[in-house]
Amino acid sequence: MRYVVLGCLLSALVACSGKSEADKTLLDEAARYHTEATDIQEKLEPAIGQIDSVRTLLAQKTTPEAKATAQSLDSLKTAFEEWEANLVEVPGMKHEHHEHGDGDHHHHHHHNNNDTKDLPADQMRDLQREFLATIKQIQEQTQQAHERGKGL
């Protein structure tokens, strides 16, 4: 019984003492992934914003390739919007707000942290790594679809 109480006290002490050095290192890595992902997001937003106009041009063409490319662009736009909606902030990470000129498109990124704020540091790092991999894939596929659209 004494060991159970001691274990509980040690767990409470560790929980109250904040993050360990290993956790801080993992969260720093997670923050780097997050920053890289949001940098890609910012660069990708103009191409995503052009999807509707490209799709309109493709709709005027009757080829199967044009139809497939338009569907691909629609799917990529949806994937991008879902990615944005699911993106979470790394706990303790400073969030930068980027200024846009007059008339420039701007997304307000409200990160949903309710379900992830208590994730262990290694899982937060893995989650941010996955967000980065996903946005890179969306970026690559969007560029390819835009190139296909231009060639039609």
Side-chain angles (χ1 to χ4, degrees):
M1 182 67 182
R2 179 173 52 176
Y3 293 110
V4 172
V5 172
L6 183 59
C8 289
L9 287 174
L10 284 174
S11 295
L13 181 61
V14 168
C16 293
S17 67
K19 301 287 183 189
S20 71
E21 193 59 40
D23 283 352
K24 288 178 184 174
T25 301
L26 290 169
L27 290 175
D28 286 345
E29 186 178 353
R32 285 191 302 274
Y33 290 137
H34 181 87
T35 299
E36 185 177 350
T38 55
D39 287 348
I40 292 170
Q41 171 194 25
E42 188 174 317
K43 292 173 188 167
L44 184 55
E45 283 176 339
I48 296 295
Q50 294 172 354
I51 285 177
D52 289 336
S53 59
V54 172
R55 191 180 187 298
T56 300
L57 292 173
L58 290 172
Q60 297 171 3
K61 302 179 188 261
T62 58
T63 65
E65 295 85 10
K67 184 176 180 178
T69 300
Q71 288 173 340
S72 177
L73 286 167
D74 283 344
S75 296
L76 288 164
K77 183 177 181 180
T78 300
F80 180 80
E81 290 168 349
E82 289 174 357
W83 181 90
E84 280 190 323
N86 291 313
L87 183 63
V88 296
E89 199 74 43
V90 176
M93 179 182 170
K94 292 180 182 176
H95 182 70
E96 295 181 15
H97 294 279
H98 302 283
E99 295 297 323
H100 295 270
D102 289 340
D104 286 348
H105 185 69
H106 176 68
H107 287 272
H108 294 279
H109 306 290
H110 300 285
H111 303 293
N112 180 5
N113 286 345
N114 292 340
D115 297 336
T116 58
K117 65 182 178 185
D118 295 325
L119 270 182
D122 62 330
Q123 290 180 15
M124 178 57 74
R125 179 212 48 211
D126 294 346
L127 180 64
Q128 294 300 328
R129 186 186 302 146
E130 186 61 32
F131 277 121
L132 176 58
T134 300
I135 196 67
K136 282 181 174 181
Q137 184 179 32
I138 293 169
Q139 180 185 39
E140 181 180 327
Q141 291 175 356
T142 301
Q143 289 169 343
Q144 291 170 352
H146 273 288
E147 288 171 14
R148 279 194 314 271
K150 288 177 185 175
L152 295 176

